Amino acid sequence: MKIENKLKAMGLELPAAGTPPPGRAGAVRVGNLLFVGGHTAGAEHRGKLGADISVEQGYEGAKGAVLACLSDVKAVIGDLDKVKQVAKLLCMVNCTPDFGQQPLVANGATDLLSELYGDAGAHARSAVGMSALPNQACIEIEMIWRLKTKEPHLKNWRRSFVAAPKQNPRKIGRASGRERV
């Protein structure tokens, strides 16, 4: 609950986790990695950078998109403190062709994650311009997280490979009359 307490102290709160359309998930866990699909900030952060909204408004939109991501992270793993590392962000900025300040907009996401997670919030990041985003969102963010623990049913997955019976290398290939040496 440490991360959620930090959010409250910052005057921020998580939006309700959305219900994705059939066949999709907001976030998918694979072992100790969590892949979070694209999230936007909401209706108050609509428009195109370089035309309709400022870099500062886009920066705030990036923070809102991270909060939406965090909602799905919590829905999947139950506790935001189970995060070991924010691994990767893809920040897609809705902008005019001549707009070149996508990294400044994406800094809203980076700064919030750094404030929440400290060194564990440091991540690889791409900030790219897009000619359009769904519902005219100013930014959409995808994330990859490294979690502190693996899924319980995958905890001992290596044992199944280690415990496999070993074959005698001299018996391999005998059917063809050849032996390995």
Side-chain angles (χ1 to χ4, degrees), residues 37-49 53-69 89-95 99 101-110 125-130 132-142:
H39 287 68
T40 61
E44 66 277 6
H45 296 286
R46 303 271 185 240
K48 192 174 286 285
L49 276 291
I53 61 173
S54 68
V55 170
E56 293 77 20
Q57 291 168 311
Y59 179 97
E60 293 301 317
K63 289 167 73 172
V66 166
L67 291 173
C69 288
L89 261 66
L90 171 59
C91 302
M92 298 165 277
V93 179
N94 183 2
C95 61
F99 183 81
Q101 296 178 316
Q102 293 88 351
L104 296 178
V105 174
N107 283 346
T110 296
R125 184 185 84 185
S126 299
V128 297
M130 300 285 177
L133 288 173
N135 300 314
Q136 298 175 338
C138 69
I139 188 166
E140 182 174 346
I141 296 179
E142 291 182 2

Side-chain angles (χ1 to χ4, degrees), residues 6-143:
K6 284 184 182 181
L7 284 169
K8 286 179 187 173
M10 296 166 67
L12 301 172
E13 64 180 65
L14 297 177
T19 304
R24 285 195 5 215
V28 174
R29 184 175 184 167
V30 179
N32 68 336
L33 296 178
L34 185 66
F35 297 85
V36 182
H39 287 68
T40 61
E44 66 277 6
H45 296 286
R46 303 271 185 240
K48 192 174 286 285
L49 276 291
D52 306 323
I53 61 173
S54 68
V55 170
E56 293 77 20
Q57 291 168 311
Y59 179 97
E60 293 301 317
K63 289 167 73 172
V66 166
L67 291 173
C69 288
L70 288 171
S71 291
D72 276 344
V73 169
K74 183 179 178 187
V76 172
I77 66 173
D79 183 358
L80 296 176
D81 294 335
K82 292 181 180 177
V83 171
K84 186 169 189 171
Q85 180 74 47
V86 180
K88 174 81 169 101
L89 261 66
L90 171 59
C91 302
M92 298 165 277
V93 179
N94 183 2
C95 61
T96 60
D98 60 337
F99 183 81
Q101 296 178 316
Q102 293 88 351
L104 296 178
V105 174
N107 283 346
T110 296
D111 293 348
L112 178 57
L113 290 168
S114 295
E115 195 167 342
L116 291 173
Y117 287 99
D119 290 341
H123 52 268
R125 184 185 84 185
S126 299
V128 297
M130 300 285 177
S131 62
L133 288 173
N135 300 314
Q136 298 175 338
C138 69
I139 188 166
E140 182 174 346
I141 296 179
E142 291 182 2
M143 306 172 117

